[in-house]
Amino acid sequence: MKFTELGLDAGILRAVADQGYDTPTPIQAQAIPVVLAGRDLMAAAQTGTGKTAGFVLPMLQLFSQGGASTRRSKPRALVLAPTRELAIQVQESVRTYGKHLALRSTPIFGGVGLGPQTSALRAGVDIVVATPGRLLDHINQRNIDLSGIEILVLDEADRMLDMGFIRDIRKILALLPKKKQSLLFSATFSEEIRILATGLLDNPVTVEVARRNATAEGVTQCLYYVDRERKRDLLVRLIGDHNWHQVLVFTRTKHGADALAERLTKSGISAAALHGNKSQGQRTRALDDFKRLKTNVLVATDIAARGIDIDELPHVVNFDLPNVAEDYVHRIGRTGRAGSSGEATSLVCIDEHKLLRDIEKLLKREIEKRLLPGFEPDPSIKAEPIMKPRTARGARQATPAGKAHGTASRSAPPATKANHRAPSRGAHHSGSRHQ
Ligand code: AMP
């Protein structure tokens, strides 16, 4: 099947072709006709499957038929996303695919001042892509009127629930018109997701694409056994030996990300860290530099890397194995996207053998094991327990509710303050998991 067979407007098709795409991915081929038919949709699809275009393209098509709305009109579509990175990326897709249409869109996320977003909303937009916490701020300040929403998208709904957004989402849903088209995208259909879907979706069509990365097609996986204290040296060696020029490296903690980025930089490798403690400006810059190959290595925690969308990212390194086996699948899903090949390398120390067994059990296969001469593990080193991450619940309880919701702490806090207080809902909750 080709994009030209989907009944999309010429302007949209041109924008798709400009991206170099002519064949829809399986989720696109299934979702686009359903959305165009006006049906509600429940889609099981992870990042990397092309899901974003799966809802953006038909949404643009539906709106392009009615003509662009006039200024000062209410938004017609609302996309809710768990993190600012994802919100920005989805809005970029809206802009990319909608570049030949007269539709306006804006991303709304925390960690930056309300002012520019308020101006954008008040000037009138058709499509709003928002993280739930910051959207509620704008709702409370009456900067946005959701009574004209025709299409609602919940993107990465499972992550939004994991991050504790359910109450915010329910508050937002209560403000939307009853009659609308709703699309729910989620990597998994947990009981919680099903409950949310039951209340929201009207006779939905369910589409499901193979969890591509569960079988990791297109991704070559291997691991090196190495001592915990020698991981940094080994990584420097691997990057140098193989001349890797674009590597996304995952660490378990924010501190570990900073320390590793610093160590790599000292070794003459251009590296930056990306995590929830960074200001929005720093994060955007780090991501841009990495995309443009100004920085060769981006060191990130799981949540910060969530939704990072880089075409043909060749290498992912698990500097630490994730505590949750499913996160391994999400991590390596950053490479080998949409048909291109990628390599996922893990550095595994004695403390992580149980995590490795869990991952291999989930993958239903063994990962190829390697030893690099000079980096063989010292058999006299004993396993030490891995620090357990705080649970989302624990972190929420630790923060007085008033503070988490207070606008003062979220209106462009200075960077240093942002380290300790919630710069945005997304970053705040992300701080509670695997950081
Ligand atoms: P997503 O799952 O939406 O995050 O998209 C994953 C990646 O696939 C992004 O880099 C898209 O630009 C890319 N992509 C989306 N649609 C297609 C397509 N039809 N063919 C090839 N690549 C695509």
Side-chain angles (χ1 to χ4, degrees):
M1 184 193 250
K2 298 282 171 220
F3 274 111
T4 44
E5 296 167 52
L6 286 169
L8 298 169
D9 179 269
I12 299 174
L13 286 175
R14 226 177 328 135
V16 170
D18 287 348
Q19 293 301 299
Y21 308 146
D22 64 353
T23 312
T25 64
I27 187 72
Q28 292 163 0
Q30 291 182 66
I32 292 172
V34 172
V35 181
L36 288 179
R39 297 285 304 269
D40 281 5
L41 174 73
M42 172 132 169
Q46 289 174 279
T47 304
T49 52
K51 66 179 169 64
T52 314
F55 62 82
V56 169
L57 295 176
M59 183 161 84
L60 292 172
Q61 175 66 29
L62 291 172
F63 289 164
S64 74
Q65 288 162 352
S69 45
T70 49
R71 285 185 89 75
R72 296 204 150 271
S73 64
K74 304 171 195 170
R76 302 175 67 185
L78 173 66
V79 181
L80 289 178
T83 62
R84 45 183 138 183
E85 279 77 14
L86 190 66
I88 290 169
Q89 283 176 7
V90 169
Q91 194 267 339
E92 276 173 2
S93 290
V94 170
R95 219 176 43 205
T96 303
Y97 298 125
K99 67 183 176 183
H100 301 299
L101 307 174
L103 291 164
R104 289 152 303 158
S105 60
T106 194
I108 296 293
F109 50 84
V112 294
L114 284 161
Q117 294 176 359
T118 304
S119 309
L121 290 173
R122 296 217 163 147
V125 286
D126 303 287
I127 299 167
V128 174
V129 185
T131 54
R134 176 51 69 95
L135 181 65
L136 277 175
D137 288 344
H138 284 292
I139 291 170
N140 291 336
Q141 299 203 2
R142 302 189 190 286
N143 296 335
I144 184 167
D145 176 351
L146 295 174
S147 65
I149 293 296
E150 297 161 43
I151 300 180
L152 167 74
V153 182
L154 298 185
D155 195 12
E156 300 199 355
D158 51 341
R159 276 287 150 158
M160 288 201 278
L161 298 192
D162 280 356
M163 290 166 75
F165 282 135
I166 186 67
R167 287 183 55 198
D168 290 352
I169 291 173
R170 291 214 179 275
K171 275 188 213 160
I172 294 165
L173 295 186
L175 298 171
L176 302 178
K178 281 233 150 29
K179 190 173 161 309
K180 62 183 172 303
Q181 187 176 5
S182 303
L183 320 174
L184 183 150
F185 287 77
S186 184
T188 53
F189 287 166
S190 62
E191 192 49 33
E192 227 185 335
I193 290 285
R194 286 181 198 283
I195 292 168
L196 177 66
T198 308
L200 176 68
L201 305 176
D202 176 20
N203 189 21
V205 177
T206 302
V207 305
E208 201 157 348
V209 292
R211 297 193 50 152
R212 51 174 275 125
N213 294 316
T215 52
E217 303 158 50
V219 182
T220 312
Q221 302 170 65
C222 74
L223 68 84
Y224 289 88
Y225 284 125
V226 59
D227 290 333
R228 115 182 42 90
E229 302 300 335
R230 303 213 58 207
K231 283 187 174 187
R232 290 178 192 173
D233 290 338
L234 175 59
L235 182 61
V236 169
R237 186 55 197 279
L238 289 172
I239 292 171
D241 281 2
H242 300 281
N243 199 15
W244 288 342
H245 62 282
Q246 198 179 33
V247 195
L248 179 61
V249 179
F250 286 92
T251 58
R252 191 172 295 127
T253 65
K254 291 184 266 201
H255 173 71
D258 282 331
L260 181 58
E262 204 171 300
R263 169 71 171 74
L264 293 171
T265 307
K266 281 200 178 123
S267 307
I269 297 166
S270 68
L274 184 81
H275 55 63
N277 279 2
K278 300 274 176 182
S279 71
Q280 180 56 32
Q282 287 171 318
R283 290 158 66 130
T284 308
R285 209 171 318 120
L287 200 55
D288 275 359
D289 287 351
F290 183 59
K291 283 185 179 176
R292 288 186 289 124
L293 301 178
K294 257 177 81 181
T295 310
N296 297 115
V297 182
L298 192 63
V299 189
T301 53
D302 286 279
I303 294 284
R306 181 78 193 161
I308 285 184
D309 178 16
I310 296 161
D311 278 339
E312 299 182 13
L313 174 66
H315 299 285
V316 166
V317 171
N318 295 302
F319 184 81
D320 299 311
L321 284 186
N323 290 315
V324 181
E326 281 80 6
D327 282 346
Y328 176 88
V329 176
H330 288 304
R331 286 178 178 191
I332 72 168
R334 303 276 86 81
T335 184
R337 292 251 185 127
S340 67
S341 63
E343 220 173 18
T345 307
S346 302
L347 311 188
V348 179
C349 73
I350 183 112
D351 311 338
E352 298 172 310
H353 287 193
K354 156 121 186 29
L355 299 179
L356 175 61
R357 280 197 299 278
D358 292 347
I359 290 166
E360 292 189 326
K361 214 157 93 189
L362 179 75
L363 296 173
K364 297 197 177 70
R365 58 179 272 198
E366 281 201 28
I367 301 170
E368 184 198 325
K369 318 281 185 314
R370 294 183 189 170
L371 284 174
L372 192 70
F375 287 91
E376 296 91 345
D378 174 350
S380 69
I381 294 178
K382 299 276 171 287
E384 286 180 12
I386 294 168
M387 198 186 65
K388 281 261 178 291
R390 284 184 300 154
T391 61
R393 190 172 296 278
R396 282 168 73 76
Q397 282 165 352
T399 308
K403 264 191 193 162
H405 292 261
T407 45
S409 67
R410 280 195 270 143
S411 323
T416 48
K417 217 173 168 190
N419 289 343
H420 305 291
R421 298 183 62 178
S424 79
R425 200 60 70 86
H428 170 62
H429 289 292
S430 69
S432 58
R433 244 185 124 237
H434 319 302
Q435 291 279 314

